[in-house]
Amino acid sequence: MTSQGFSEPAKKHLGQHFLHERTVIDRIVRAVDPRPGEALVEIGPGQGAITFPLLRRDGALTVIEFDRDLVAPLTAAADGLGSLRIINRDVLSVDFSALARELSGAQSPRIRLVGNLPYNLSSPILFHALDHAAAITDMVFMLQKEVVDRMAAGPGSKVYGRLGVMLQAFCTVIPLFTVPPGAFRPPPKVDSAVVRLVPLPADQVRVQDRALFAQVVREAFGQRRKTLRNALARTCDAATLDAAGVSPKVRAEQVPVADFIALANHLAREGVRAGHG
Ligand code: SAM
């Protein structure tokens, strides 16, 4: 079944699950609460479930959609609602910082991101957004619930891992609500959830060397059953862990985000650089 004007069937390889449940759409729009003058950017508008209510509220919206077949019907359906700009590209190739400079007249140009993301690309999109966190005010994303649980998990949780640590070092992660499969056509196999991410102001980001921090976190969780001393053997020894105030005997899943940051910063001060040569 397709919406009016949209004749193509959903494309599985593009993660197309179109929202149709009005109450869910309204909750997302309320969570975004767009204000005139904001530079709002939607990732993956699809058949416009969130796009058109946002456009009605804001009057202007930029969307990034990979599927060329959706460009003409989106353009036609937006007629009379406001100014819809469609960037027909892979979102991973879009430079959000450049887009913010283009869209926002403000002194420190920023965009707000919103999207019911293609689930097969959710982690790459989140890491891409992190690379441009300074140009982003906030993000309201629909993802698999299991991914949102990982994003928000703390130490000791079974789902605490690389994704949560990387995001929480640079953003506040606020899970908002869960959405059942029946809210989409076709329905996905899993529950979904909406989450808000707010990048920390630059003066609150404690990580000094992002590449080194990313390496430490990747290695620590690469072998999550091992103690930090063993998992991080390529990067540092037990004495260095002790000096950074981090126990070499614990596993990564027990280590708070602040301790990963303290360790990476300690290594940076010791002159360690990312990469093993
Ligand atoms: N926003 C719509 C909704 O809620 O009904 C559609 C959401 S659907 C889960 C994901 C959308 O992302 C699809 O429209 C799909 O074509 C688009 N998409 C998939 N991969 C993409 C990519 N690499 N770059 C931009 N858009 C992409």
Side-chain angles (χ1 to χ4, degrees):
M1 190 176 182
T2 52
S3 303
Q4 206 181 6
F6 293 88
S7 53
E8 296 286 324
K11 293 174 182 153
K12 208 174 166 186
H13 71 283
L14 290 180
Q16 292 184 348
H17 295 278
F18 300 121
L19 252 181
H20 68 86
E21 185 71 46
R22 176 54 47 195
T23 51
V24 176
I25 295 167
D26 288 347
R27 282 184 89 177
I28 294 173
V29 173
R30 275 205 304 277
V32 178
D33 190 19
R35 305 294 166 102
E38 286 175 347
L40 194 58
V41 177
E42 185 189 1
I43 299 171
Q47 299 183 341
I50 319 172
T51 317
F52 301 127
L54 287 175
L55 192 56
R56 266 188 219 103
R57 285 273 298 262
D58 202 334
L61 182 64
T62 297
V63 297
I64 303 166
E65 174 56 64
F66 188 68
D67 186 353
R68 206 176 349 152
D69 295 333
L70 291 170
V71 174
L74 277 169
T75 307
D79 190 33
L81 295 182
S83 155
L84 181 69
R85 174 180 170 202
I86 304 177
I87 301 175
N88 182 207
R89 292 227 322 248
D90 174 359
V91 62
L92 297 177
S93 74
V94 175
D95 178 336
F96 291 136
S97 306
L99 188 60
R101 286 194 294 276
E102 200 185 306
L103 292 177
S104 158
Q107 238 183 0
S108 50
R110 298 255 173 92
I111 49 176
R112 300 188 68 201
L113 287 176
V114 53
N116 170 14
L117 300 185
Y119 293 171
N120 53 341
L121 278 188
S122 42
S123 286
I125 292 173
L126 291 169
F127 281 107
H128 183 56
L130 266 193
D131 287 342
H132 296 275
I136 298 171
T137 308
D138 70 347
M139 310 166 233
V140 174
F141 288 152
M142 172 109 71
L143 300 155
Q144 278 173 257
K145 181 175 181 302
E146 173 261 322
V147 175
V148 172
D149 290 345
R150 285 199 277 129
M151 291 162 69
S157 156
K158 259 194 253 162
V159 294
Y160 181 58
R162 176 175 171 241
L163 184 66
V165 174
M166 289 304 298
L167 288 174
Q168 291 168 38
F170 299 99
C171 302
T172 307
V173 180
I174 310 159
L176 297 179
F177 53 91
T178 304
V179 180
F184 305 87
R185 283 196 198 105
K189 290 199 172 70
V190 292
D191 276 340
S192 302
V194 176
V195 62
R196 184 194 304 280
L197 291 163
V198 186
L200 298 174
D203 61 356
Q204 283 178 32
V205 173
R206 299 278 166 255
V207 175
Q208 284 162 11
D209 179 334
R210 286 175 76 118
L212 185 58
F213 175 69
Q215 175 179 315
V216 165
V217 176
R218 191 169 48 244
E219 286 181 3
F221 286 102
Q223 312 188 59
R224 55 187 298 144
R225 312 302 306 160
K226 292 194 175 178
T227 60
L228 276 194
R229 171 199 194 128
N230 291 327
L232 291 175
R234 274 152 47 102
T235 301
C236 61
D237 56 19
T240 310
L241 284 161
D242 273 329
V246 181
S247 167
K249 295 185 193 131
V250 296
R251 292 175 180 163
E253 60 205 28
Q254 296 155 293
V255 178
V257 177
D259 283 12
F260 282 113
I261 297 174
L263 174 58
N265 288 351
H266 178 85
L267 291 170
R269 282 194 299 275
E270 301 254 292
V272 177
R273 294 289 167 261
H276 293 285

